[in-house]
Amino acid sequence: MPYAILRIEKHTAIATVRRSGKHKDREQPTPNANPELTPANETEGAKTSAELVAAVQKRVGLATVKATGTDKPVIAVEYMITASPEFFKTANTDTINAYFDNAKSWLRDKHGVDNVISITRHNDEKTPHLSAFVVPLVEHQASTRKRSIIVGKDSDGKAIRETREYFTEASINLSAKHYFGGAKALNELQTEFYKKVGMYSGLDRGIEGSKATHQRVKQFYGNITRGEPETLDIPKERRIFKKGLFSRIEEDDAAFAERVAQSVKQQLEPVRDVALLTAQKHREAKEAIQTTLAFR
């Protein structure tokens, strides 16, 4: 059975939003896309990278609670939604359209219509897919809570308690953690997408336990259709942070090794996804054979 596929990528800088927007809106060369089919792409919301950036900045500016800590807040989340290639080979046009339409509705229900900045359906690549940008704003209504507190002691030394009300003002804050807080939440996200979208189009849930993250569309699809890695682009030189006439400061051995490891890991993750998918299919086939033999 074909699988529903959902990936996310978190953006903490407007520069990466702009760069991804240029890819989404075909403002730069896209090797995997057929330029003759690009006019068939469909966009709802921001239609250019400039419009996308402006819309994201406007929504982020609505936050009334500023982020704290050293980590940069996530200002936008990029979704990539598609299905196994065999789905598009066997499903009819109405089924495919319904799948993508339901996915759009799910995004808007989950994040709020105003927070879904742009959704593009790419029809100019071998495997059609949705690319969506969402600002993870969370609105909290004003509330009052009651709390019992100790206000003193009586003559016998027993605590005297009093119920007081505490008022919390309404607020709006950026919180990717609200939607994607850890591995468990991402696992639940896959299950939610399957139950509310994928299953209605005859798709199975995404691979259980897969830790693959969203890759650039051309890399992801290039690998998933071939099932093998492209030539790995491995960093070969240390980064130079400061260079003077007689000295320079460069990346140390540990940092360089970590950067190389992360680069290789990211490039091989899509292939790992395919391997997990293949293994899961083999298990399902084996279980089906065993079940058939048991009832002979």
Side-chain angles (χ1 to χ4, degrees):
M1 180 181 290
Y3 289 79
I5 297 174
L6 178 148
R7 298 284 180 269
I8 65 168
E9 181 174 0
K10 300 172 185 176
H11 294 278
T12 60
I14 205 67
T16 63
V17 173
R18 181 182 290 107
R19 184 163 59 247
S20 291
K22 287 183 177 181
H23 170 82
K24 178 183 76 71
D25 297 312
R26 303 302 190 240
E27 297 172 6
Q28 61 186 25
T30 307
N32 279 18
N34 182 345
E36 294 182 359
L37 297 178
T38 297
N41 291 348
E42 306 164 11
T43 297
E44 299 174 20
K47 292 179 171 58
T48 67
S49 61
E51 290 181 5
L52 175 66
V53 166
V56 168
Q57 290 176 322
K58 183 177 181 180
R59 291 300 296 173
V60 170
L62 296 177
T64 58
V65 178
K66 303 303 178 184
T68 58
T70 57
D71 293 338
K72 292 182 179 180
V74 174
I75 61 174
V77 178
E78 181 180 356
Y79 278 88
M80 191 281 291
I81 297 174
T82 185
S84 303
E86 58 265 34
F87 172 70
F88 299 101
K89 295 177 182 178
T90 59
N92 59 42
T93 301
D94 288 343
T95 300
I96 294 172
N97 289 341
Y99 174 59
F100 284 135
D101 287 343
N102 289 340
K104 293 175 188 177
S105 297
W106 174 76
L107 281 172
R108 289 172 175 135
D109 288 342
K110 184 174 185 64
H111 293 281
V113 173
D114 293 337
N115 288 326
V116 180
I117 305 301
S118 180
I119 304 178
T120 295
R121 174 173 166 176
H122 288 125
N123 298 309
D124 59 354
E125 296 187 42
K126 185 174 181 180
T127 304
H129 57 275
L130 292 184
S131 178
F133 286 81
V134 173
V135 175
L137 278 183
V138 181
E139 296 187 29
H140 299 280
Q141 302 297 321
S143 62
T144 301
R145 63 186 179 90
K146 294 182 179 180
R147 183 180 176 187
S148 176
I149 64 171
I150 298 175
V151 294
K153 294 183 179 180
D154 61 17
S155 58
D156 296 326
K158 294 182 180 180
I160 300 174
R161 288 188 169 273
E162 182 178 293
T163 300
R164 293 183 180 178
E165 292 187 345
Y166 293 86
F167 176 73
T168 302
E169 295 183 349
S171 63
I172 303 174
N173 65 305
L174 282 170
S175 180
K177 185 177 181 180
H178 176 82
Y179 300 101
F180 319 107
K184 183 178 179 181
L186 291 174
N187 190 52
E188 292 173 349
L189 180 72
Q190 294 283 355
T191 300
E192 177 188 342
F193 182 73
Y194 162 68
K195 290 183 176 180
K196 294 189 176 181
V197 181
M199 65 181 293
Y200 294 104
S201 294
L203 293 167
D204 206 346
R205 185 198 182 283
I207 305 168
E208 188 78 32
S210 171
K211 295 181 181 179
T213 54
H214 172 77
Q215 301 293 315
R216 282 287 163 265
V217 175
K218 66 176 182 180
Q219 179 187 9
F220 179 84
Y221 283 105
N223 288 328
I224 201 170
T225 54
R226 288 194 299 274
E228 60 184 24
E230 299 175 346
T231 302
L232 294 178
D233 181 15
I234 300 175
K236 297 179 176 61
E237 297 180 355
R238 288 174 170 76
R239 287 173 174 162
I240 306 299
F241 300 115
K242 185 177 180 180
K243 187 175 183 180
L245 184 60
F246 300 105
S247 65
R248 67 179 183 177
I249 299 175
E250 65 180 26
E251 191 173 30
D252 61 27
D253 290 345
F256 178 64
E258 175 65 18
R259 185 158 62 87
V260 170
Q262 288 299 319
S263 176
V264 172
K265 177 183 176 182
Q266 290 173 3
Q267 293 176 70
L268 291 180
E269 275 180 341
V271 184
R272 178 182 181 274
D273 219 18
V274 174
L276 286 171
L277 179 59
T278 302
Q280 184 162 324
K281 286 184 176 180
H282 281 308
R283 286 196 301 271
E284 291 172 352
K286 184 177 180 180
E287 290 172 0
I289 292 172
Q290 292 173 339
T291 301
T292 301
L293 292 176
F295 284 93
R296 276 186 172 181

